Amino acid sequence: MAINTPKQTSHLKREILVRLIRAYLSDNFEENTRLIPFDMRPKGSDVPFRCCIHKERAILRDRAIAGLGLSIEEADDSELLSTLAKRAQDRTEPEDNPLTVLQTACKGCVPSRIYVTDLCQGCVARPCESTCRFGAIKVENGKSVIDPEKCKNCGMCVQVCPYHAITKIIVPCESACPVGAIAKDEEGLAHIDFDKCISCGKCVSACPFGAVHEKSQIIDILKEIKAGKKVVAMLAPAIMGQLPCTPKQLKQAILSLGFADVVEVAEGADITTKNEAAEFKERMAEGQAFMTTSCCAGYNELVEKHVPELKPFRSDTKTPAYYTAELVKKESPEAVTVFFSPCVAKRREALQNPDIDYVLNFEELGAWFIALNVQVSACDESEYRKESSAEGRNFANTGGVAGAVNALLDEGEKATPYVVDGLTKESIRDLKKFAKNGKCELGNLIEVMACTGGCLGGSSTINAYKPALKQLTNYVKESPEIRDVVKK
């Protein structure tokens, strides 16, 4: 599952969002936005994280820029937050590229490398030296020394050292990225190559300084609600495990924010299941060795940018968000659709789908409730317009998609699932091998989730994985089987 962003950075992000929402709903959005860093770090206050109050305020300013949905890299240092707030209010659509880097917060970590610590004993066996295939390590003056010109960072010496005296120094964001999309620029600070980035959000979760940020669309959504438009919330199944309330209380709480309606994306998941089961049967009948799922936006980006050889094996079925937005737009063409997301990748999907107008992540929703003093556990219950299936609601959990497809297949047609539980360098290497060989010995239906734990492990979730899974499981148990739902 995703490593949750450290508590302090999560609190800072949330406080910024709360203040931005309250500023927007105030009589003077621009001026109250400008004052956020100064209100959070007034003159004479303690400086909890950085060298001085000015550095603290600079970083808070950058976090506010990301909260406004703007790229920090493109914002001029001389521009006031009030000017940037006006720009956010005046825009007609979200910016491209869902992530931005706070270079003021980036620590400029030391380069990733293998390092010999003072624990080295210069032992007689010298397993580090004999194991290295590149001749990069030798013992000098009773201590192992690594030649950086020859070292390939393979880590074999780390594994064989009996004293654990050799360690691998990593850069958290670079190490977490499965496709090498984030690296240091010429100034030694993190930079994202969006031609490579699959928007998996792993760098967001990994950075201990909270330097990688999603660009929020919350101002856009507030603006649509203020304009009196019909704004419809579409809830990803993973949200049912996030907050201390029942799913029906959650709907009422969201309605209290100004949304006109709340729809479960599990409705779309049921359509995805039906279409994917039919597609799997057809492909197996044609003799195809395996098929991968297609509901994870991060995985779809991986295929498009890095593993195009998987395209013939990927399902053509659309995502649950796609089908849900399509349903809402057919019923109410004038509706503004907002997908409530556990991850970064759905922002990328939404930018490519005209039926999904905006994305709100779970962190932002939590901040919105705080800003308006909404106690979700005290809300009344409100019925959803349609009963979705247990299998559709379980899409959020690892194995849920493959399990749903199998639930619609008859005996003799059942798939043999193989689950890729999180995209890593290793799992991507396996996927490439399957595509190259044209077969997968481990199964004929490969479910691929970018996040470990499925959507419940997404980078924008706000509840720990195990309690979230427990809440979702209880909801799934109360739900009808997909065969009964599909018949209706």
Side-chain angles (χ1 to χ4, degrees), residues 232 234 263 324-333 335 337 385:
V232 177
M234 304 185 300
V263 179
T324 306
E326 187 177 59
L327 287 172
V328 173
K329 290 288 190 179
K330 281 183 179 179
E331 294 168 8
S332 303
T337 54
R385 66 179 194 171

Side-chain angles (χ1 to χ4, degrees), residues 364-438:
E364 293 161 348
L365 176 63
W368 199 342
F369 285 144
I370 293 170
L372 271 63
N373 298 312
V374 175
Q375 298 293 326
V376 292
S377 59
C379 288
D380 294 330
E381 293 195 337
S382 183
E383 296 286 339
Y384 290 93
R385 66 179 194 171
K386 182 181 178 182
E387 185 86 77
S388 300
S389 76
E391 288 83 358
R393 289 167 174 164
N394 201 43
F395 259 50
N397 186 25
T398 298
V401 181
V405 170
N406 255 345
L408 280 183
L409 295 173
D410 296 328
E411 292 300 326
E413 300 173 335
K414 297 287 187 185
T416 302
Y418 171 65
V419 177
V420 176
D421 188 19
L423 288 176
T424 62
K425 294 178 179 68
E426 293 74 24
S427 63
I428 291 172
R429 192 159 53 239
D430 289 340
L431 286 167
K432 288 182 176 180
K433 183 181 72 173
F434 300 152
K436 180 180 179 181
N437 297 338

Side-chain angles (χ1 to χ4, degrees), residues 128-148:
C128 56
E129 186 176 4
S130 60
T131 301
C132 182
R133 294 178 294 148
F134 310 104
I137 190 165
K138 59 183 178 179
V139 177
E140 294 180 354
N141 300 321
K143 183 179 177 180
S144 294
V145 176
I146 296 174
D147 183 344

